[in-house]
Amino acid sequence: MTTDTEQFRALGFSEQRLSARRLSFALQTRDEQQTKILALHGWLDNCASFLPLIPLFRDRASLVVPDLAGHGLSEHRASGSYNVFDDAADVIALADALGWKRFRIVGHSMGANIAVLVAGAWPARVERVALLDGYGPFSASVAETPARLAAGAAQLERMRDRPASEFESLEEAVQRYRQHRTGLSEDSARLLLGRGAMEVEQGRLRLRHDPGRHAATLFRPTEEQVLAFLSAISCPVYAVRARSGWPVEEELLQRRVRAIKDCRFVELDGYHHVHMDHPERLQEMVDWLLAP
């Protein structure tokens, strides 16, 4: 099975490991440019999701593309419990470990939601943010909070010892993977699985991500809290909506976009993984992210 390693190496990257918040993270890095950019992948994806987009940067930035906790080659949380608030703290810890005082972020889906939290909580650290089909964490009402905690804890307990998904062949894995990612091409699925799965015996594959990543989060912020993060962002934001991407209620989307002080909102044709299947449609976003 083809892996991402050679493709990253051909683009000038090297694989590294960094420790942050008592976890070991795998990341691909390309250094020595003044503009520093962290690329944050989506839920159940991995850093290979940015491979199709990277050539658009044309060696004009120091890019760091990590596998987030519980994904790809990064370590799993001991508790098996995940939420975007911990992920945001991980991102700042990784930036500290890299020695980056200020940096830019491009995030897809869950990675975009994490980027909103990072830019809102640490506004002095973030220079620019590009959001790909993600506009902040999922929210819940105050009244839902107790039931969510109870249901989430029960689900997590069921999943804690659940074995990772296995497939008889790469072809089976690709088809199953695409079932849950509307519009994702076979080539993009293979790219993600090249890092997101490992061979266990005679062609049989096992997914690497933590099964706990499937469990519902124990806590969701209220919409008012999400808007507080969006309002606290002081840097320019470029938000991309894929027209056939993740379904978002129009009123909620517009409310969140309006909460950002300086936001350029763009709609593009494409599915949720438009940055993988049609990266050329995002050249304007990349040029904006690289601008002085």
Side-chain angles (χ1 to χ4, degrees), residues 16 49 59 90 95 122 134 137 143 173 179 186 201 218 237-238 254 291:
Q16 293 189 18
S49 72
D59 299 328
D90 291 344
W122 293 273
Q179 286 177 7
E186 284 200 20
E201 56 179 29
L218 303 183
V237 175
Y238 192 112
Q254 294 304 322

Side-chain angles (χ1 to χ4, degrees), residues 180-221:
H180 304 289
R181 291 163 174 80
T182 303
L184 184 69
S185 70
E186 284 200 20
D187 286 344
S188 293
R190 289 174 186 274
L191 187 57
L192 290 169
L193 286 165
R195 189 175 183 89
M198 58 183 173
E199 187 171 338
V200 289
E201 56 179 29
Q202 297 181 340
R204 188 173 179 84
L205 301 178
R206 177 182 298 156
L207 296 184
R208 294 182 188 274
H209 67 255
D210 190 339
R213 274 289 186 180
H214 289 276
T217 56
L218 303 183
F219 170 81
R220 280 186 179 178

Side-chain angles (χ1 to χ4, degrees), residues 159-174:
M159 290 189 167
R160 193 184 305 278
D161 299 318
R162 193 179 86 173
S165 298
E166 292 191 5
F167 305 97
E168 294 295 336
S169 66
L170 176 59
E171 295 307 316
E172 181 192 357
V174 166

Side-chain angles (χ1 to χ4, degrees), residues 43-102:
W43 180 63
L44 302 187
D45 290 345
N46 54 68
C47 71
S49 72
F50 283 101
L51 271 169
L53 192 66
I54 286 171
L56 275 62
F57 288 88
R58 300 187 299 279
D59 299 328
R60 292 166 58 193
S62 292
L63 282 166
V64 170
V65 196
D67 289 330
L68 297 170
H71 293 86
L73 304 181
S74 286
E75 193 174 2
H76 299 180
R77 297 198 195 282
S79 66
S81 180
Y82 295 87
N83 63 78
V84 287
F85 294 95
D86 271 327
D87 292 327
D90 291 344
V91 168
I92 282 294
L94 285 172
D96 289 342
L98 290 163
W100 288 8
K101 295 187 182 301
R102 287 176 59 79

Side-chain angles (χ1 to χ4, degrees), residues 115-129:
V116 165
L117 298 180
V118 173
W122 293 273
R125 302 287 300 272
V126 184
E127 297 174 334
R128 287 187 174 222
V129 175

Side-chain angles (χ1 to χ4, degrees), residues 233-290:
I233 298 173
S234 60
C235 69
V237 175
Y238 192 112
V240 174
R241 182 188 197 180
R243 290 194 176 98
S244 300
W246 190 267
V248 181
E249 181 186 342
E250 189 65 29
E251 183 181 347
L252 181 145
L253 172 62
Q254 294 304 322
R255 183 168 62 243
R256 290 190 176 195
V257 169
R258 287 195 303 269
I260 303 170
K261 296 181 182 70
D262 182 358
C263 182
R264 181 174 182 179
F265 180 71
V266 175
E267 289 190 296
L268 297 176
D269 289 333
Y271 291 101
H272 189 50
H273 286 77
V274 63
H275 66 303
M276 296 191 73
D277 294 328
H278 298 287
E280 71 283 355
R281 297 176 186 174
L282 293 163
Q283 183 66 66
E284 184 179 275
M285 181 204 75
V286 169
D287 291 341
W288 176 91
L289 195 59
L290 291 167

Side-chain angles (χ1 to χ4, degrees), residues 136-148:
F138 293 115
S139 61
S141 70
V142 173
E144 294 175 67
T145 305
R148 168 166 285 277

